[in-house]
Amino acid sequence: PLSPFSKKDAKEVIALVEKYQKEMMKKWGIHFVHCSDEWYILAEKELPLEEQYDGYLQLENGVGMLRLFLTEFEEALSLVKEQKIEKEVSLATGRLAYPFIKKMAERLMDKFQGLKIHSYEIKNEFFGENITVSGLITGQDLERQLLGKPLGQRLLIPENMLRCEEYGEVEEKKVFLDDKTVGELEKALQVKIDIVKSSGQDFIDKITKKA
């Protein structure tokens, strides 16, 4: 039988990894071994600083993805002037990233007068609620949990929710893991869907764009 990791387990894993990181830095000048983002969130610890990720060598494995996204967001936000934007949009993500996305949305609403953002945490009913990453959220879970909710003019979802080999550049035909298309979800929810790249700049651009 498999048991899920607890907060205590996560703290122990991080402590072990940090021990090895110190040894590797002393010997080779590189951290070498890293924890994925999930461990820090489960342990309720702050994410490591950017310089501790050795240039994000394991980004595709979820190692430093949130730190990079947050850093890009802060940099992009610092360059944007406060302005009035009469707009209402919604964001949907997995349980893992939800607290971060919600705080980022709040920062944007503080910056832009008139901007209203609804942030939604999607539970993974398709694969099981212990699966918390946004990349394994299906179209049917989005439809079931967002139907009837206030979504505004557009619904924003991260691009990692979609299968990467999909039909050219036509966004409406892009497909979730359960074979539901973006176009089908738009029709079911009666809202236009924007796909957000894994970039803090694109996150701000998609939320604040006029169209």
Side-chain angles (χ1 to χ4, degrees), residues 13 24 28 47 50 52 60 70-71 74 80 101 113 117-118 121 131 144 147 159 181 184 201-203 207:
V13 169
M24 293 298 103
W28 304 107
L47 295 170
E50 187 172 28
Q52 290 178 245
E60 69 278 7
L70 291 170
T71 299
E74 292 295 340
V80 176
I101 296 298
Q113 183 183 356
I117 305 173
H118 305 281
E121 173 188 328
I131 306 298
R144 189 180 300 113
L147 199 61
E159 64 177 351
T181 68
E184 289 170 341
Q201 180 69 64
D202 195 55
F203 180 79
I207 289 175

Side-chain angles (χ1 to χ4, degrees), residues 44-201:
E44 297 180 4
K45 290 177 65 72
E46 290 290 324
L47 295 170
L49 299 175
E50 187 172 28
E51 54 266 26
Q52 290 178 245
Y53 284 103
D54 300 324
Y56 298 109
L57 298 175
Q58 298 184 52
L59 195 63
E60 69 278 7
N61 293 323
V63 178
M65 193 173 290
L66 275 173
R67 167 52 66 202
L68 178 59
F69 191 71
L70 291 170
T71 299
E72 291 174 342
F73 172 79
E74 292 295 340
E75 290 174 352
L77 189 64
S78 69
L79 299 175
V80 176
K81 293 181 179 179
E82 291 187 17
Q83 54 185 295
K84 188 171 183 178
I85 299 178
E86 294 292 342
K87 189 175 183 181
E88 183 179 356
V89 299
S90 51
L91 310 172
T93 188
R95 200 167 75 205
L96 185 72
Y98 175 75
F100 298 90
I101 296 298
K102 189 173 186 293
K103 287 179 182 178
M104 292 161 72
E106 290 168 354
R107 294 279 305 283
L108 286 172
M109 287 190 284
D110 288 341
K111 186 105 175 180
F112 299 104
Q113 183 183 356
L115 178 62
K116 187 173 185 179
I117 305 173
H118 305 281
S119 301
Y120 295 109
E121 173 188 328
I122 305 300
K123 296 178 182 177
N124 199 321
E125 296 174 350
F126 189 90
F127 290 110
E129 292 190 17
N130 283 336
I131 306 298
T132 60
V133 295
S134 59
L136 292 175
I137 295 292
T138 59
Q140 60 190 270
D141 278 344
L142 286 164
E143 180 180 342
R144 189 180 300 113
Q145 295 174 47
L146 294 177
L147 199 61
K149 299 280 181 67
L151 299 175
Q153 296 142 331
R154 289 178 181 267
L155 167 65
L156 279 67
I157 61 171
E159 64 177 351
N160 67 357
M161 282 187 183
L162 303 169
R163 282 162 38 189
C164 59
E165 76 275 8
E166 292 326 316
Y167 317 111
E169 296 300 317
V170 182
E171 287 202 351
E172 290 78 7
K173 291 187 177 181
K174 289 186 176 179
V175 177
F176 295 94
L177 291 177
D178 59 352
D179 291 332
K180 184 181 286 292
T181 68
V182 170
E184 289 170 341
L185 186 61
E186 286 181 331
K187 186 176 180 180
L189 296 176
Q190 291 295 293
V191 68
K192 176 66 179 173
I193 294 175
D194 275 349
I195 298 167
V196 182
K197 296 177 182 177
S198 184
S199 154
Q201 180 69 64

